[in-house]
Amino acid sequence: MPTLLPRVYAKEQPEEPRPERHGAAGGSHPSPCGRAQASLTRKRNGAAAAGAPPPPGPGSSPGPRAAPALTRRSAAGRLSPGDAGPEMAAARPVLARAVLQQCLSARLQVRPPENGSEAEWVEIQRGLVIYICFFKGADQDLVPKIVNTLLNVKLSENESGEYVSLLDLPGNVLIIPQATLGGKLKGRKMQYHVNIEKEKGLELYSQFVTLCEKELAANAKCTEAGVLLKYGTYGNRQVLKLDTNGPYTHLVEF
Amino acid sequence: MPTLLPRVYAKEQPEEPRPERHGAAGGSHPSPCGRAQASLTRKRNGAAAAGAPPPPGPGSSPGPRAAPALTRRSAAGRLSPGDAGPEMAAARPVLARAVLQQCLSARLQVRPPENGSEAEWVEIQRGLVIYICFFKGADQDLVPKIVNTLLNVKLSENESGEYVSLLDLPGNVLIIPQATLGGKLKGRKMQYHVNIEKEKGLELYSQFVTLCEKELAANAKCTEAGVLLKYGTYGNRQVLKLDTNGPYTHLVEF
């Protein structure tokens, strides 16, 4: 099989990059999740738009650019409407940061071994691992936007090698609270001053998990396939074993 | 063992967060790396400073803040010196993005199975997994800064539970080219317009790997412990198996 470059480099500008398929790409969807069903109005378009950057401003045409792009700040690097150009772009505060990785299977320790009892683990098969961190200023209004964006962004590879949303795959989800994602380099150390207070963080994390569960439960494809949602314990060390066919790591900021 | 919160939340503001230790935290350093020795002037302080944010501007005192921090843009959200305040912060372009994860072991496919031959893998034991992506505008002057920052940032947990640099641990390194880290959310899809052109990206990636090798080879602790550096194939799918005692995921932008 040729070792093609994934189409994620500058000149190719794909809508949906498709890295070369190799390795075991298959995966099965395990037993029914058995969670309480709950319906929730889906807000796909609104949520996707909320997580997306605004239309490019002056000087940031969608085509190839000769100069370094000053508006490349990913989902977070939004320009405020009144900005004259990229150089004066206002740094909108980041309220949450997610790192996404594809997995063939993932296993997370949710309780460490204690007093002779064995550690407790949760496990998913093929799907998406979401590492999530909330920053100061985040509130519950943000949670539906994050959930809808992450469940609807087309980053999950189906059997045909196309990238579809997790809901359309459909795939399993492992949510990992990962406060270290709020780290800010200061000299040789990381500081975490911008992370949300732990009680608020726990609250938002719980809401995030609950809303993901609801969205999966409200989705016919997911319930039919019996997709699983598993999640880590906020505040615990996230001991993780990950098996991927390409982690396909993405960063999404809100 | 109690399930303590790692000290990475807002109120605690640690210099070095120490998530609770549980699970198998041990790891051995494998056989000598056998790479060509090369000396290179170490630029620890300079490099660490280069990756660090500047001193806080007006309105961003180092203590707890009542209002959401408008300067929280991580390593990338630097204020330019002439800015009147956080709201007018200039969005400095990001030239490279790295995601770091701790591992107990990591195994990466560097050649897929072809014509009946088996896939080829590289493997490290305890150490650091570096996912790296270069953006348009990055050049070779940036590479030493990135290498020195990543090898010297104190994110590797030693036997005493303290966080030290990879060089001081000393630990193994797995470098994974991960162009998807340049993704920018646009609607429900990721776009990669800001990623560097693939030839330039390959060049910078190769320089990054080479310089990391030199730094490890020039470090007495690392050569004595026989630390390994392994790396993925630029442009290939990065099939990865990861075993962690907590991935301890960090984002560093340059």
Side-chain angles (χ1 to χ4, degrees):
Chain A
M1 201 178 291
T3 55
L4 297 173
L5 283 168
R7 295 190 293 171
V8 287
Y9 302 99
K11 287 185 177 168
E12 296 156 287
Q13 304 193 353
E15 288 299 298
E16 294 175 73
R18 298 182 198 179
E20 181 203 3
R21 288 175 70 92
H22 68 64
S28 61
H29 297 294
S31 54
C33 71
R35 296 198 179 276
Q37 307 292 299
S39 70
L40 185 101
T41 307
R42 299 286 301 283
K43 300 174 195 164
R44 277 195 185 192
N45 297 332
S60 62
S61 71
R65 283 169 283 215
L70 288 169
T71 54
R72 70 159 61 87
R73 302 296 309 282
S74 89
R78 290 163 234 200
L79 299 179
S80 64
D83 286 326
E87 295 210 25
M88 291 305 289
R92 181 190 173 284
V94 177
L95 298 175
R97 177 174 291 157
V99 166
L100 310 176
Q101 293 188 318
Q102 276 198 121
C103 72
L104 293 178
S105 71
R107 200 159 175 259
L108 184 72
Q109 190 179 103
V110 290
R111 204 169 58 185
E114 287 182 282
N115 305 326
S117 71
E118 301 222 334
E120 189 184 329
W121 296 77
V122 293
E123 184 169 357
I124 64 164
Q125 300 301 310
R126 191 178 181 182
L128 190 68
V129 177
I130 300 174
Y131 306 80
I132 185 86
C133 176
F134 293 98
F135 294 168
K136 277 181 190 162
D139 63 24
Q140 60 182 16
D141 294 345
L142 187 65
V143 175
K145 294 178 187 172
I146 300 177
V147 170
N148 281 285
T149 299
L150 298 186
L151 296 185
N152 286 296
V153 62
K154 296 182 175 183
L155 292 181
S156 295
E157 190 182 15
N158 69 14
E159 297 295 341
S160 315
E162 292 167 331
Y163 284 85
V164 299
S165 74
L166 189 89
L167 293 174
D168 282 338
L169 186 59
N172 301 289
V173 189
L174 178 64
I175 300 172
I176 303 181
Q178 188 81 130
T180 51
L181 277 177
K184 183 174 171 174
L185 196 60
K186 178 84 174 174
R188 293 178 59 194
K189 296 177 180 176
M190 283 285 178
Q191 290 183 338
Y192 303 88
H193 298 184
V194 299
N195 278 29
I196 200 164
E197 298 79 5
K198 61 186 180 187
E199 295 79 10
K200 288 186 189 168
L202 172 57
E203 193 182 323
L204 293 181
Y205 175 70
S206 302
Q207 289 171 353
F208 178 68
V209 169
T210 303
L211 193 53
C212 279
E213 287 175 330
K214 285 183 181 171
E215 291 283 299
L216 293 178
N219 183 285
K221 273 192 187 177
C222 291
T223 51
E224 194 178 326
V227 303
L228 286 177
L229 180 142
K230 299 288 183 182
Y231 53 92
T233 318
Y234 191 81
N236 241 336
R237 171 175 286 221
Q238 305 300 319
V239 175
L240 174 72
K241 293 174 194 293
L242 186 66
D243 187 3
T244 81
N245 63 343
Y248 201 60
T249 314
H250 284 87
L251 170 72
V252 186
E253 290 177 323
F254 298 89
Chain B
M1 201 179 293
T3 55
L4 297 172
L5 283 167
R7 295 189 294 171
V8 288
Y9 302 100
K11 287 184 178 170
E12 295 155 290
Q13 305 193 355
E15 287 298 299
E16 294 176 71
R18 299 184 198 177
E20 181 204 3
R21 288 175 70 92
H22 67 64
S28 63
H29 297 294
S31 54
C33 69
R35 296 201 178 275
Q37 307 293 299
S39 69
L40 186 101
T41 307
R42 298 286 300 284
K43 302 173 195 165
R44 277 195 187 191
N45 297 334
S60 62
S61 71
R65 283 169 282 216
L70 287 169
T71 55
R72 71 157 61 86
R73 301 297 310 281
S74 89
R78 293 162 231 201
L79 299 179
S80 64
D83 285 325
E87 295 211 23
M88 292 305 288
R92 181 190 172 285
V94 177
L95 298 174
R97 178 174 289 157
V99 165
L100 309 177
Q101 293 188 317
Q102 275 198 121
C103 72
L104 292 178
S105 71
R107 200 160 175 258
L108 184 73
Q109 192 179 101
V110 290
R111 203 170 60 185
E114 288 184 281
N115 305 327
S117 70
E118 301 222 333
E120 189 183 331
W121 297 78
V122 292
E123 184 169 358
I124 63 165
Q125 300 303 309
R126 191 179 183 182
L128 189 69
V129 177
I130 301 174
Y131 306 80
I132 184 85
C133 176
F134 293 97
F135 294 168
K136 278 181 190 161
D139 63 25
Q140 59 183 17
D141 294 345
L142 187 65
V143 175
K145 295 178 188 173
I146 300 177
V147 170
N148 280 285
T149 300
L150 299 186
L151 296 186
N152 286 297
V153 62
K154 296 182 176 182
L155 291 181
S156 295
E157 191 182 16
N158 70 14
E159 298 295 340
S160 314
E162 291 167 330
Y163 284 86
V164 299
S165 74
L166 189 88
L167 294 174
D168 283 337
L169 186 59
N172 301 289
V173 189
L174 178 64
I175 301 171
I176 303 181
Q178 188 81 130
T180 51
L181 277 177
K184 184 174 172 173
L185 196 60
K186 178 82 173 177
R188 293 178 60 195
K189 296 178 180 176
M190 283 285 177
Q191 291 183 337
Y192 302 89
H193 298 184
V194 299
N195 278 29
I196 200 164
E197 298 79 5
K198 62 186 178 186
E199 294 79 10
K200 287 187 190 169
L202 172 57
E203 194 183 322
L204 294 181
Y205 175 70
S206 303
Q207 289 170 353
F208 177 68
V209 169
T210 303
L211 193 54
C212 278
E213 287 175 332
K214 285 184 182 171
E215 290 284 298
L216 293 178
N219 183 284
K221 274 192 187 177
C222 291
T223 52
E224 193 177 327
V227 303
L228 286 177
L229 179 143
K230 300 287 185 183
Y231 53 92
T233 318
Y234 191 81
N236 242 335
R237 172 175 284 223
Q238 305 300 319
V239 175
L240 173 72
K241 293 174 193 294
L242 186 66
D243 187 2
T244 81
N245 63 344
Y248 200 61
T249 313
H250 284 89
L251 170 71
V252 187
E253 290 178 322
F254 298 89

mmCIF file with all atom_site columns, all heavy atoms in Angstrom, chain A residues 5 43 88 119 141 197 235 251-252:
data_model
loop_
_atom_site.group_PDB
_atom_site.id
_atom_site.type_symbol
_atom_site.label_atom_id
_atom_site.label_alt_id
_atom_site.label_comp_id
_atom_site.label_asym_id
_atom_site.label_entity_id
_atom_site.label_seq_id
_atom_site.pdbx_PDB_ins_code
_atom_site.Cartn_x
_atom_site.Cartn_y
_atom_site.Cartn_z
_atom_site.occupancy
_atom_site.B_iso_or_equiv
_atom_site.pdbx_formal_charge
_atom_site.auth_seq_id
_atom_site.auth_comp_id
_atom_site.auth_asym_id
_atom_site.auth_atom_id
_atom_site.pdbx_PDB_model_num
ATOM 1  N N   . LEU A 1 5   ? 0.569   10.905 1.576  1.00 0.00 ? 5   LEU A N   1
ATOM 2  C CA  . LEU A 1 5   ? 0.455   11.936 2.601  1.00 0.00 ? 5   LEU A CA  1
ATOM 3  C C   . LEU A 1 5   ? -1.008  12.165 2.904  1.00 0.00 ? 5   LEU A C   1
ATOM 4  O O   . LEU A 1 5   ? -1.827  12.242 1.994  1.00 0.00 ? 5   LEU A O   1
ATOM 5  C CB  . LEU A 1 5   ? 1.044   13.250 2.088  1.00 0.00 ? 5   LEU A CB  1
ATOM 6  C CG  . LEU A 1 5   ? 2.561   13.357 2.078  1.00 0.00 ? 5   LEU A CG  1
ATOM 7  C CD1 . LEU A 1 5   ? 2.967   14.572 1.278  1.00 0.00 ? 5   LEU A CD1 1
ATOM 8  C CD2 . LEU A 1 5   ? 3.079   13.466 3.492  1.00 0.00 ? 5   LEU A CD2 1
ATOM 9  N N   . LYS A 1 43  ? -29.569 20.689 18.366 1.00 0.00 ? 43  LYS A N   1
ATOM 10 C CA  . LYS A 1 43  ? -29.250 22.028 17.873 1.00 0.00 ? 43  LYS A CA  1
ATOM 11 C C   . LYS A 1 43  ? -28.029 21.960 16.974 1.00 0.00 ? 43  LYS A C   1
ATOM 12 O O   . LYS A 1 43  ? -27.101 22.723 17.098 1.00 0.00 ? 43  LYS A O   1
ATOM 13 C CB  . LYS A 1 43  ? -28.954 22.950 19.043 1.00 0.00 ? 43  LYS A CB  1
ATOM 14 C CG  . LYS A 1 43  ? -30.080 23.105 20.012 1.00 0.00 ? 43  LYS A CG  1
ATOM 15 C CD  . LYS A 1 43  ? -29.621 23.917 21.205 1.00 0.00 ? 43  LYS A CD  1
ATOM 16 C CE  . LYS A 1 43  ? -30.566 23.803 22.372 1.00 0.00 ? 43  LYS A CE  1
ATOM 17 N NZ  . LYS A 1 43  ? -29.969 24.264 23.616 1.00 0.00 ? 43  LYS A NZ  1
ATOM 18 N N   . MET A 1 88  ? -4.793  43.257 14.393 1.00 0.00 ? 88  MET A N   1
ATOM 19 C CA  . MET A 1 88  ? -5.462  43.815 15.562 1.00 0.00 ? 88  MET A CA  1
ATOM 20 C C   . MET A 1 88  ? -6.501  42.853 16.121 1.00 0.00 ? 88  MET A C   1
ATOM 21 O O   . MET A 1 88  ? -7.358  43.239 16.887 1.00 0.00 ? 88  MET A O   1
ATOM 22 C CB  . MET A 1 88  ? -6.138  45.134 15.199 1.00 0.00 ? 88  MET A CB  1
ATOM 23 C CG  . MET A 1 88  ? -5.159  46.252 14.898 1.00 0.00 ? 88  MET A CG  1
ATOM 24 S SD  . MET A 1 88  ? -3.997  46.507 16.272 1.00 0.00 ? 88  MET A SD  1
ATOM 25 C CE  . MET A 1 88  ? -5.111  47.215 17.483 1.00 0.00 ? 88  MET A CE  1
ATOM 26 N N   . ALA A 1 119 ? -8.478  -2.478 40.680 1.00 0.00 ? 119 ALA A N   1
ATOM 27 C CA  . ALA A 1 119 ? -8.859  -1.221 40.029 1.00 0.00 ? 119 ALA A CA  1
ATOM 28 C C   . ALA A 1 119 ? -10.100 -1.451 39.188 1.00 0.00 ? 119 ALA A C   1
ATOM 29 O O   . ALA A 1 119 ? -10.354 -2.554 38.721 1.00 0.00 ? 119 ALA A O   1
ATOM 30 C CB  . ALA A 1 119 ? -7.715  -0.734 39.158 1.00 0.00 ? 119 ALA A CB  1
ATOM 31 N N   . ASP A 1 141 ? -24.075 27.563 30.000 1.00 0.00 ? 141 ASP A N   1
ATOM 32 C CA  . ASP A 1 141 ? -24.571 27.893 28.659 1.00 0.00 ? 141 ASP A CA  1
ATOM 33 C C   . ASP A 1 141 ? -23.635 27.362 27.575 1.00 0.00 ? 141 ASP A C   1
ATOM 34 O O   . ASP A 1 141 ? -24.040 27.185 26.426 1.00 0.00 ? 141 ASP A O   1
ATOM 35 C CB  . ASP A 1 141 ? -24.684 29.414 28.475 1.00 0.00 ? 141 ASP A CB  1
ATOM 36 C CG  . ASP A 1 141 ? -25.741 30.013 29.389 1.00 0.00 ? 141 ASP A CG  1
ATOM 37 O OD1 . ASP A 1 141 ? -26.553 29.220 29.924 1.00 0.00 ? 141 ASP A OD1 1
ATOM 38 O OD2 . ASP A 1 141 ? -25.744 31.235 29.578 1.00 0.00 ? 141 ASP A OD2 1
ATOM 39 N N   . GLU A 1 197 ? -12.377 26.890 38.720 1.00 0.00 ? 197 GLU A N   1
ATOM 40 C CA  . GLU A 1 197 ? -12.366 26.385 40.092 1.00 0.00 ? 197 GLU A CA  1
ATOM 41 C C   . GLU A 1 197 ? -12.920 24.956 40.087 1.00 0.00 ? 197 GLU A C   1
ATOM 42 O O   . GLU A 1 197 ? -13.831 24.646 39.322 1.00 0.00 ? 197 GLU A O   1
ATOM 43 C CB  . GLU A 1 197 ? -13.244 27.273 40.987 1.00 0.00 ? 197 GLU A CB  1
ATOM 44 C CG  . GLU A 1 197 ? -12.776 28.711 41.093 1.00 0.00 ? 197 GLU A CG  1
ATOM 45 C CD  . GLU A 1 197 ? -13.159 29.579 39.897 1.00 0.00 ? 197 GLU A CD  1
ATOM 46 O OE1 . GLU A 1 197 ? -13.872 29.108 38.990 1.00 0.00 ? 197 GLU A OE1 1
ATOM 47 O OE2 . GLU A 1 197 ? -12.699 30.736 39.869 1.00 0.00 ? 197 GLU A OE2 1
ATOM 48 N N   . GLY A 1 235 ? -11.129 14.698 38.683 1.00 0.00 ? 235 GLY A N   1
ATOM 49 C CA  . GLY A 1 235 ? -10.233 14.831 39.823 1.00 0.00 ? 235 GLY A CA  1
ATOM 50 C C   . GLY A 1 235 ? -9.345  13.626 40.060 1.00 0.00 ? 235 GLY A C   1
ATOM 51 O O   . GLY A 1 235 ? -8.406  13.696 40.830 1.00 0.00 ? 235 GLY A O   1
ATOM 52 N N   . LEU A 1 251 ? -7.548  19.598 17.977 1.00 0.00 ? 251 LEU A N   1
ATOM 53 C CA  . LEU A 1 251 ? -7.778  20.535 19.069 1.00 0.00 ? 251 LEU A CA  1
ATOM 54 C C   . LEU A 1 251 ? -8.986  21.388 18.706 1.00 0.00 ? 251 LEU A C   1
ATOM 55 O O   . LEU A 1 251 ? -9.057  21.924 17.595 1.00 0.00 ? 251 LEU A O   1
ATOM 56 C CB  . LEU A 1 251 ? -6.546  21.430 19.221 1.00 0.00 ? 251 LEU A CB  1
ATOM 57 C CG  . LEU A 1 251 ? -6.669  22.631 20.154 1.00 0.00 ? 251 LEU A CG  1
ATOM 58 C CD1 . LEU A 1 251 ? -6.714  22.188 21.611 1.00 0.00 ? 251 LEU A CD1 1
ATOM 59 C CD2 . LEU A 1 251 ? -5.503  23.596 19.934 1.00 0.00 ? 251 LEU A CD2 1
ATOM 60 N N   . VAL A 1 252 ? -9.920  21.515 19.623 1.00 0.00 ? 252 VAL A N   1
ATOM 61 C CA  . VAL A 1 252 ? -11.051 22.422 19.402 1.00 0.00 ? 252 VAL A CA  1
ATOM 62 C C   . VAL A 1 252 ? -11.205 23.275 20.656 1.00 0.00 ? 252 VAL A C   1
ATOM 63 O O   . VAL A 1 252 ? -11.292 22.753 21.767 1.00 0.00 ? 252 VAL A O   1
ATOM 64 C CB  . VAL A 1 252 ? -12.370 21.662 19.125 1.00 0.00 ? 252 VAL A CB  1
ATOM 65 C CG1 . VAL A 1 252 ? -13.476 22.651 18.749 1.00 0.00 ? 252 VAL A CG1 1
ATOM 66 C CG2 . VAL A 1 252 ? -12.206 20.632 18.012 1.00 0.00 ? 252 VAL A CG2 1
#
